[in-house]
Amino acid sequence: MAGRRRMRGAPAAAFAILAAILAAATLFASPARAAVDRLLLDADSLTYDRDHKVVTASGDVQLYYKGRALQADRVSYDQATRRVTAQGHVKMTDPSGVVTYADKVDATDDYSDGFVESLVAVGPDQTTFSAARAERLGGVATSLDHGAYTACVPCSGKPAAPPLWQIKAVKIVQDSRTHTVYFRDMTLEVGGVPVFWTPWFATADATVRRHTGFLTPSVVERTGLGVGFTQPFFWAIAPNRDLTLTPTYWTQQGLYADLKWRHRLQNGEYAIRAAGVFQSDPEAFKPAPFATGRRAFRGMLQTDGKFWLDKQWAFGWNASLLSDPFFVSDYALNPRNLSNYYVRELVSDAWLVGQGPRSWFDLHAYHFQGLATGDLQSQQPDALPVLDYDRQFALAAGPKGVLELEANFAAMTAQAATFQNAGAAAGPSLYGVCAPGTYVPGQCLLRGIGGELTRASAQATWSRRIVDPLGDVLTPFAFVRGDANWRSLDLARTYSYYDVTTGLNQTFSNASQLGVLGPGSPAFAGRLMPGIGLDWRYPLVASTGIGAQTLTPIAQIVARPNEGGIGAVPNMDAQSLVFDVTDLFAWNKFSGFDRVEGGVRANYGVKWQVDFAGGGFGALTAGRSSQLAGRNSYATPDAAGVGLDSGLATANSAFVFGENLALNEALSFAAKQQYDPATHGFTRLDALARGEYGAVSATVGYARYAAQPDIGFYENREGVYFGGTLKLGGGWHVDGSALFDLSRRPTVAAETVPNATAFALGFGVTDACHCTSFDVSYQQGLGADPTTGTLQRSSAITFALTLRTLGGDTLQRTSGLLGQTVSGF
């Protein structure tokens, strides 16, 4: 029967019913279209050989069934052998998006057995399998002869060129029962050149997210450890449980083992990690207290978890136990960078949180372990418990507005007190101590108590937003806050430490706390702080040629009694004070509960914003704060010196500015400044710019903070960051970044570090076909050599090669050959 037919059906095997339908179709005299159910066939001609029971579709054959599509020059079905044959420009598409090209396909009608000649299969993720011949065996395995696999897309302009990388094997077998792909006699080629061979290799197929087997190995070189080879092994015990064993053999230190267990339950999950090594060469590390103490065994135990009790309540934990504080850095478990170069600590906590539509509950317990050379573990506090609660009520009657209730309870303990040098008469210190004979206010700060401290705080706040007929936006508010503080100082303990700056053993006593707090510091202190205030804003809106503009003058006044107990009560949680536009209009600019603003203060400024007609926006904020009456809390330092050198310690504060500009998605700028009119200079400056033009995109960040000797910062702190990407021809791109510390770090008295000290440099290259990434990074740091007092420059180079879909292959090198000792720099 010649002509074009379209037929539909619903068989268990598409071609089996197709044969029956085609047989019945011979009864039709018209070459029009016949359709039965869901099988669809288009062809130039359909023939049925009654003698041999063979149905043949010829000429631009297109068959669709249950989301599958088959295209070929000729398709035939033999009812006797129940085999389907497709020939000429064969293209098959399955519902998952895999497209297979072949010269010929010969298979049973249930596709359990068959073969394909000249196979090329392309997945939806642009991965490609190819083979001279592929065979389906028993419906459970597919075998490819002389096959190849790659995740590289053919480069534009060079479709015939070999892919950047590909895996070739004499035999590739995919087992659908185990969901595993096996490679026999496998070779990795890069640019068509063989670079690696192995007799056997196996990996999970694309249907598997978790599969037992070996993960990508890595080779590492690191000072103190030697050369290490890492071969991780992943064990998928069950769909909700797995175990990862990551052994590393170091040529200098021996076998290092890392074990991680993960378990997901119906309402949460948890993980346990253990790592350790019996070091072959403990002498490679400096003795205690500068480093490990040259111990043989070093290790750690970590666990974390999170569980939901219901839709509103959850609890969890994150706990760590280390053999020594230097284990993390020596074995590169937590890479150092500028953000954690000075303050490095390990935080263990357990928590219970709950959230309602207008409420929040947070219960935490904390333990801190210092990881830096200058950390004394006895000075690290434990906080158990720390409770925060917040609840808001919408008042529909009476005064209306919003009523907010806040509560906090905290109990902290530490064995040893923590001090810091301050004032012009003192100097920098590497440890949490002050110079002998300077444990007095103005020369020494109490950063943490030795003993126990308990605090309870509660606050009720009412506010209401009112817009009058003239457009004024008025927000009156009132609050009352109560604080109770109990402390029990441990004055009997005395501690010793080795002072690297003098090379001598030094001691300090917890009794020195009274020298900073004063002998009359009470064991109990209470405070009640009521206050009222008004926030006024008057938005002025104008539509101009460049866009809609809004200019909003803002004035705010807060009246309270003077803050009491300053200096006599330890300040543990309100030591971070940064005055800029983000807290210009805050009623209380202290960061914690141990301090609260007092007196009458006015905050005033202006905000301007423009929404450009062509897209984008610009914004500017400027303002100032003034103490109108009463004691200025920021000019009256506590035992930690908080408030001094903040820009708020004078009757009229420093000016603060903030700018934001986003012309479009490709160009943005943000900055904040604090300007001191007495010195006519900026005491704080932060700026960040991002831009993209053509093939170039860049990010530049800059920060500069003036010295604050009254709170222990004796030098200006300054840094700059550069980052960018350059897109090269053919799709290649190069990216790089550089982070420079431009300030002098006074951890050693004789240290003078030159400007533009690079703490992190890096660049990377990614190939045009988006199947491989090659990254090279360089890092540099400075630290004091405890044995000589001189500076030691440490550097690291990391090479990373990643083949898409095959995990990451990393060659990491941290070379002592790159290090150099800097003396008198």
Side-chain angles (χ1 to χ4, degrees):
M1 178 184 293
R4 194 169 188 82
R5 304 279 187 184
R6 175 172 295 173
M7 300 188 177
R8 299 178 184 267
F15 279 95
I17 291 300
L18 172 62
I21 295 174
L22 290 179
T26 59
L27 299 176
F28 292 92
S30 170
R33 296 179 178 179
V36 181
D37 207 1
R38 295 175 297 171
L39 177 67
L40 178 64
L41 170 71
D42 283 349
D44 292 340
S45 65
L46 300 173
T47 61
Y48 178 57
D49 186 337
R50 295 180 181 273
D51 296 333
H52 298 91
K53 296 183 179 182
V54 175
V55 181
T56 302
S58 301
D60 191 20
V61 180
Q62 300 182 44
L63 187 146
Y64 305 91
Y65 178 68
K66 290 186 177 181
R68 299 177 182 272
L70 171 64
Q71 298 173 255
D73 295 340
R74 178 186 174 92
V75 178
S76 62
Y77 175 68
D78 189 327
Q79 289 180 290
T81 61
R82 303 182 63 85
R83 296 190 71 86
V84 179
T85 303
Q87 294 176 294
H89 304 94
V90 179
K91 179 182 179 181
M92 297 178 288
T93 306
D94 69 14
S96 67
V98 176
V99 180
T100 303
Y101 303 90
D103 289 343
K104 180 179 180 180
V105 176
D106 188 330
T108 58
D109 58 5
D110 61 359
Y111 297 103
S112 62
D113 293 280
F115 67 88
V116 179
E117 293 182 354
S118 300
L119 165 75
V120 177
V122 181
D125 58 351
Q126 299 299 312
T127 57
T128 302
F129 272 102
S130 61
R133 177 185 173 91
E135 186 173 2
R136 182 72 170 166
L137 306 171
V140 296
T142 302
S143 176
L144 282 68
D145 294 334
H146 298 284
Y149 168 79
T150 185
C152 296
V153 179
C155 300
S156 59
K158 297 181 180 180
L164 184 64
W165 65 264
Q166 64 179 336
I167 292 176
K168 289 185 175 181
V170 173
K171 179 75 74 174
I172 303 176
V173 177
Q174 188 267 343
D175 191 326
S176 60
R177 296 168 299 182
T178 61
H179 300 283
T180 305
V181 181
Y182 301 94
F183 297 82
R184 182 168 63 83
D185 197 3
M186 187 200 83
T187 302
L188 173 64
E189 292 186 357
V190 177
V193 179
V195 297
F196 177 78
W197 174 88
T198 181
W200 183 87
F201 178 75
T203 186
D205 64 23
T207 65
V208 177
R209 293 185 60 189
R210 295 156 37 86
H211 184 76
T212 298
F214 290 99
L215 304 179
T216 304
S218 62
V219 178
V220 184
E221 181 184 352
R222 188 172 180 84
T223 302
L225 305 179
V227 178
F229 176 77
T230 301
Q231 178 55 73
F233 180 80
F234 178 79
W235 181 14
I237 302 172
N240 65 329
R241 298 191 302 273
D242 58 58
L243 185 69
T244 304
L245 175 62
T246 309
T248 301
Y249 181 79
W250 296 99
T251 57
Q252 191 170 350
Q253 298 297 349
L255 181 63
Y256 167 91
D258 192 321
L259 190 69
K260 185 172 184 179
W261 160 271
R262 300 188 302 175
H263 189 189
R264 174 170 293 179
L265 301 173
Q266 186 174 4
N267 66 327
E269 60 185 355
Y270 71 95
I272 301 174
R273 181 184 181 187
V277 57
F278 287 93
Q279 297 185 136
S280 302
D281 184 17
E283 300 294 322
F285 302 100
K286 294 181 174 63
F290 317 116
T292 67
R294 295 175 177 170
R295 64 179 70 203
F297 175 78
R298 303 177 67 190
M300 72 168 186
L301 182 64
Q302 290 182 323
T303 177
D304 63 84
K306 180 179 181 180
F307 289 88
W308 289 95
L309 300 175
D310 54 32
K311 293 182 179 181
Q312 294 181 314
W313 290 89
F315 75 94
W317 68 89
N318 182 6
S320 302
L321 180 64
L322 300 179
S323 61
D324 61 271
F326 308 100
F327 178 74
V328 172
S329 57
D330 287 345
Y331 283 84
L333 301 178
N334 183 24
R336 290 167 60 174
N337 53 51
L338 191 60
S339 65
N340 66 3
Y341 191 77
Y342 297 110
V343 181
R344 300 190 302 276
E345 60 188 16
L346 201 60
V347 181
S348 298
D349 67 322
W351 50 268
L352 171 67
V353 297
Q355 183 174 6
R358 302 176 70 91
S359 61
W360 173 259
F361 176 94
D362 188 317
L363 178 64
H364 262 81
Y366 296 97
H367 172 74
F368 300 90
Q369 181 170 0
L371 304 180
T373 303
D375 289 335
L376 301 178
Q377 186 56 38
S378 56
Q379 293 178 326
Q380 303 301 313
D382 291 324
L384 173 68
V386 178
L387 171 64
D388 287 285
Y389 178 75
D390 187 284
R391 179 72 183 268
Q392 290 185 348
F393 302 89
L395 304 179
K400 297 185 178 181
V402 176
L403 176 65
E404 182 178 7
L405 301 179
E406 299 175 83
N408 172 269
F409 179 85
M412 294 164 279
T413 180
Q415 295 180 358
T418 304
F419 303 94
Q420 182 179 0
N421 283 337
S429 174
L430 180 64
Y431 301 95
V433 297
C434 290
T438 64
Y439 287 88
V440 295
Q443 298 186 45
C444 184
L445 305 177
L446 180 62
R447 293 295 190 184
I449 69 164
E452 299 178 357
L453 177 68
T454 303
R455 184 199 61 250
S457 300
Q459 178 169 316
T461 304
W462 169 84
S463 64
R464 181 182 177 185
R465 185 174 183 268
I466 303 171
V467 180
D468 69 12
L470 298 177
D472 298 277
V473 181
L474 303 171
T475 305
F477 56 88
F479 59 87
V480 59
R481 173 171 152 182
D483 301 282
N485 186 298
W486 300 265
R487 64 159 179 80
S488 176
L489 300 180
D490 183 351
L491 304 178
R493 296 177 185 258
T494 300
Y495 295 88
S496 62
Y497 65 97
Y498 178 83
D499 190 348
V500 66
T501 61
T502 63
L504 301 175
N505 288 319
Q506 303 282 7
T507 62
F508 72 95
S509 172
N510 277 352
S512 299
Q513 296 177 92
L514 294 180
V516 182
L517 291 170
S521 176
F524 171 81
R527 177 175 57 202
L528 184 67
M529 180 65 73
I532 59 173
L534 178 67
D535 184 288
W536 170 84
R537 305 179 186 221
Y538 191 71
L540 301 171
V541 181
S543 180
T544 64
I546 64 172
Q549 300 187 56
T550 304
L551 181 67
T552 307
I554 304 173
Q556 184 185 91
I557 187 170
V558 188
R560 297 153 294 209
N562 291 335
E563 180 187 10
I566 304 174
V569 178
N571 174 10
M572 296 293 100
D573 77 336
Q575 297 186 17
S576 175
L577 177 60
V578 176
F579 177 51
D580 56 28
V581 292
T582 59
D583 59 0
L584 170 62
F585 299 106
W587 306 344
N588 176 27
K589 298 174 178 57
F590 287 110
S591 59
F593 290 91
D594 284 336
R595 293 292 307 274
V596 61
E597 271 190 18
V600 181
R601 177 169 287 273
N603 306 309
Y604 45 93
V606 63
K607 288 186 177 182
W608 170 79
Q609 180 169 327
V610 56
D611 295 312
F612 297 114
F617 73 94
L620 170 67
T621 303
R624 198 179 194 186
S625 181
S626 297
Q627 187 76 22
L628 302 181
R631 180 190 299 133
N632 185 349
S633 293
Y634 304 104
T636 309
D638 53 36
V642 177
L644 302 179
D645 295 333
S646 64
L648 290 163
T650 55
N652 295 308
S653 75
F655 289 97
V656 290
F657 305 93
E659 305 86 21
N660 286 277
L661 177 65
L663 298 179
N664 47 51
E665 294 183 356
L667 182 62
S668 64
F669 172 81
K672 295 184 296 183
Q673 305 89 26
Q674 184 187 99
Y675 176 81
D676 185 357
T679 61
H680 304 289
F682 289 104
T683 49
R684 296 188 66 90
L685 192 155
D686 294 274
L688 180 67
R690 295 186 177 95
E692 182 175 347
Y693 180 77
V696 179
S697 60
T699 300
V700 180
Y702 175 78
R704 185 182 187 277
Y705 311 131
Q708 298 170 287
D710 289 334
I711 58 173
F713 297 100
Y714 290 90
E715 303 290 338
N716 294 336
R717 290 144 291 164
E718 188 175 13
V720 62
Y721 169 82
F722 300 96
T725 300
L726 174 63
K727 298 178 181 179
L728 304 176
W732 287 73
H733 71 267
V734 178
D735 57 82
S737 63
L739 182 63
F740 294 93
D741 185 357
L742 308 181
S743 58
R744 175 178 178 265
R745 290 164 303 280
T747 55
V748 179
E751 177 180 350
T752 306
V753 177
N755 288 339
T757 300
F759 269 79
L761 297 173
F763 71 90
V765 181
T766 303
D767 79 284
C769 300
H770 308 292
C771 62
T772 306
S773 64
F774 175 71
D775 296 290
V776 180
S777 66
Y778 169 81
Q779 291 184 328
Q780 173 183 276
L782 291 172
D785 186 333
T787 59
T788 63
T790 59
L791 289 180
Q792 188 176 34
R793 189 186 302 273
S794 60
S795 303
I797 296 179
T798 301
F799 302 92
L801 175 66
T802 302
L803 308 182
R804 188 170 70 89
T805 73
L806 294 182
D809 295 308
T810 303
L811 175 62
Q812 185 177 21
R813 180 180 179 88
T814 305
S815 176
L817 297 177
L818 296 175
Q820 50 185 296
T821 299
V822 184
S823 180
F825 226 33

